[in-house]
Amino acid sequence: MELSDNEFVARYRGGDSAAFAELARRWDRRVYALAYRVTGDAADAGDVRQQAFLRAQGALSTFNGQSTFATWMYRVVVNLCRDRLRSKEARNRHLGAMRARAEEADYGSPPSGREHERREVAAQVAEAVGSLPEAEREVVVLRHYQGLTFAQIAEVLGGPVSTVKSRMAKALALLRTRLKDVDG
Amino acid sequence: MNDQMNTSPSCDEVRQEIAALLYGELEAEMRAAVERHLDGCPSCRAEHAQQRQTMALLDHWLEPALPESPVAGVTKPEPAFPGRMRVFRLLRPLAYGAAAAVVLFGLLILLGAEARYRDGQITLTLGRGAPQADRHLDLLSDTQGAVQVRRLAGEECDQRIEELVGLLAEEFAELNRRQEQRQVLLARALDVQRARDRDTQMAALEVLARGVGRDSARQRRAIGNIYDLMDAGGVVPASHVEPQRKD
């Protein structure tokens, strides 16, 4: 039977260094995807990815298990993303990069007409999500792309579930306005 | 809308719960209450349709491809490679000495070394490549950061150095430098580390700084940081000349 994340944490704390490698393998894609969508920059996302696992490895010895590893890991990644975006330079880079990154995304063979339209829509969605205020963007990415429930998001971000739901509603309203001309 | 069943939620309450309804998160009783409201409220029904449409558009933004860089490198040092050297443990609290280590490591990275930081030790490997080289030099050219380090002392300095060195270890990238130059500067950097007293250390720092190129603004700022550090240590560098901007 496959072990849970917390079980791997317990093994790692018990001296099994390979257990962390397994945790990292499980979480690598999720961490990068979250960081990419929140920061809007592949380079920033790569750095956040690296830092997140470094920080996780360093901190697991003091992980008290009060929250799940998932909640803890998401919180680490979100905080690292916030640090990235805090500088003005990063924010400017972020706003300009979201659309470009989505357009440049490698989907394999040269696009057909339909594929080109789909990429254009993806680029516009990326830009719209990237233009959201940071708090609303975090909720959208965690709920829609990472699949966390609103209760889990509240635990990651801190604060009541009602606040998370309000931010989601606000985010969807803003996105509706910014994507009103987009035909999916 | 709280956890207790509300048989007649208001429009404001329902609109806050529409996303939860669409994601299938609502408990049975709450779901029934919201759906009853939607059945009888055209405005909220329209809001429901719009949120659903917006969520469908979000699906067009696919998950980004995971870059090649293996996460396993985070947990295990890379295999031996020509020029790999085990360097030092973090210098313990002397504010200026610890700050010198930060600048030292940064200069080593200018030389094209890749460093990994783990458990208080840093392993340097020369000659490895990594993408996005230029961006990672920003830390080295952060004059404000260098001054901040200089003012700290004791435990605060330790903590700051830990953070900075950890960040450097994560930010390193290879520059396009000749191997020979790297070896020379690495030797000079080791002289700094091996210095037995502050005067010798500062002199070795100056020698190191003279060997760093001044081709880029970042390099010039990094050199400026070294001289600031030497100034803070009460040492006046004999060869210090204000870097000239190349426009």
Side-chain angles (χ1 to χ4, degrees):
Chain A
M1 189 171 70
E2 195 171 84
L3 297 179
S4 68
D5 290 340
N6 278 25
E7 285 169 329
F8 274 112
V9 170
R11 285 194 170 191
Y12 177 71
R13 294 183 66 183
D16 181 0
S17 59
F20 184 81
E22 174 59 21
L23 273 177
R25 185 193 64 77
R26 287 182 173 192
W27 277 86
D28 195 17
R29 181 174 295 279
R30 271 181 284 183
V31 167
Y32 181 77
L34 171 59
Y36 180 85
R37 286 195 163 111
V38 172
T39 65
D41 182 84
D44 282 338
D47 291 341
V48 167
R49 173 194 183 201
Q50 193 83 349
Q51 289 175 39
F53 288 112
L54 276 172
R55 187 170 293 187
Q57 188 178 27
L60 276 184
S61 58
T62 59
F63 180 68
N64 58 22
Q66 283 189 344
S67 59
T68 65
F69 176 80
T71 300
W72 182 84
M73 192 69 189
Y74 277 123
R75 192 178 295 139
V76 166
V77 176
V78 167
N79 286 334
L80 286 170
C81 290
R82 288 174 178 174
D83 290 344
R84 285 278 153 174
L85 293 173
R86 202 155 288 151
S87 71
K88 180 180 179 182
E89 179 185 335
R91 282 199 300 274
N92 289 338
R93 186 169 65 239
H94 157 79
L95 290 173
M98 293 292 274
R99 182 187 178 93
R101 296 288 181 262
E103 285 180 340
E104 291 165 6
D106 182 10
Y107 294 113
S109 56
S112 63
R114 180 71 183 140
E115 178 63 18
H116 176 77
E117 289 173 13
R118 200 184 63 76
R119 291 193 194 185
E120 177 64 19
V121 171
Q124 290 173 308
V125 170
E127 188 174 23
V129 172
S131 70
L132 290 173
E134 187 175 295
E136 281 69 27
R137 186 169 66 249
E138 288 174 353
V139 172
V140 167
V141 173
L142 286 170
R143 184 60 195 88
H144 194 84
Y145 295 107
Q146 294 289 320
L148 274 66
T149 65
F150 288 120
Q152 290 169 333
I153 295 171
E155 195 176 352
V156 170
L157 299 181
V161 176
S162 58
T163 300
V164 175
K165 289 182 175 179
S166 292
R167 287 177 179 166
M168 187 71 187
K170 179 182 174 185
L172 289 172
L174 288 170
L175 288 169
R176 179 166 65 240
T177 301
R178 292 167 191 182
L179 296 172
K180 65 181 185 300
D181 296 325
V182 175
D183 180 13
Chain B
M1 198 162 170
N2 56 33
D3 291 338
Q4 297 174 340
M5 188 184 82
N6 184 342
T7 56
S8 299
S10 67
C11 286
D12 284 343
E13 289 174 326
V14 165
R15 290 182 182 215
Q16 183 148 307
E17 297 296 335
I18 287 176
L21 174 70
L22 289 167
Y23 284 120
E25 282 194 38
L26 293 183
E27 298 293 332
E29 289 181 356
M30 199 175 297
R31 183 174 67 245
V34 169
E35 287 175 344
R36 274 196 300 274
H37 179 95
L38 291 176
D39 285 343
C41 180
S43 175
C44 286
R45 207 160 49 240
E47 175 68 19
H48 177 272
Q50 287 167 347
Q51 286 198 20
R52 185 175 56 197
Q53 183 181 22
T54 301
M55 287 182 191
L57 284 175
L58 290 178
D59 290 337
H60 282 75
W61 190 18
L62 301 180
E63 185 172 290
L66 193 63
E68 283 295 322
S69 176
V71 175
V74 172
T75 59
K76 295 179 184 176
E78 293 295 327
F81 190 83
R84 179 186 184 220
M85 302 185 67
R86 185 148 220 144
V87 193
F88 0 65
R89 296 184 179 275
L90 289 174
L91 301 179
R92 300 314 286 174
L94 280 180
Y96 303 129
V102 173
V103 177
L104 168 66
F105 292 134
L107 286 171
L108 290 172
I109 300 320
L110 274 176
L111 311 181
E114 179 186 85
R116 298 217 180 265
Y117 170 61
R118 183 184 179 193
D119 298 332
Q121 290 189 337
I122 296 178
T123 302
L124 286 182
T125 305
L126 292 180
R128 283 197 164 267
Q132 305 117 25
D134 289 348
R135 229 175 41 78
H136 301 301
L137 291 177
D138 287 347
L139 179 69
L140 300 175
S141 57
D142 182 359
T143 303
Q144 187 177 358
V147 170
Q148 185 181 14
V149 167
R150 192 173 67 206
R151 288 176 186 157
L152 295 175
E155 286 186 7
E156 274 188 283
C157 181
D158 269 351
Q159 186 179 358
R160 175 64 175 153
I161 294 301
E162 292 268 0
E163 292 170 5
L164 284 176
V165 176
L167 191 59
L168 279 172
E170 297 157 10
E171 300 266 354
F172 295 151
E174 183 182 84
L175 299 178
N176 214 8
R177 294 290 184 178
R178 290 176 301 135
Q179 179 72 14
E180 179 183 328
Q181 185 180 9
R182 280 199 294 268
Q183 297 285 6
V184 167
L185 290 180
L186 180 59
R188 294 185 183 185
L190 289 174
D191 287 341
V192 175
Q193 191 266 337
R194 290 168 184 157
R196 293 181 180 279
D197 57 72
R198 182 57 50 79
D199 288 345
T200 306
Q201 188 181 50
M202 292 295 167
L205 265 178
E206 185 181 3
V207 171
L208 177 60
R210 274 192 263 122
V212 176
R214 284 154 170 78
D215 297 327
S216 72
R218 290 192 189 95
Q219 288 174 311
R220 292 192 293 272
R221 281 195 295 271
I223 292 166
N225 285 345
I226 297 176
Y227 288 132
D228 285 341
L229 184 64
M230 294 171 67
D231 288 343
V235 176
V236 179
S239 61
H240 176 41
V241 175
E242 286 295 321
Q244 298 297 316
R245 262 184 84 99
K246 282 187 182 181
D247 292 319

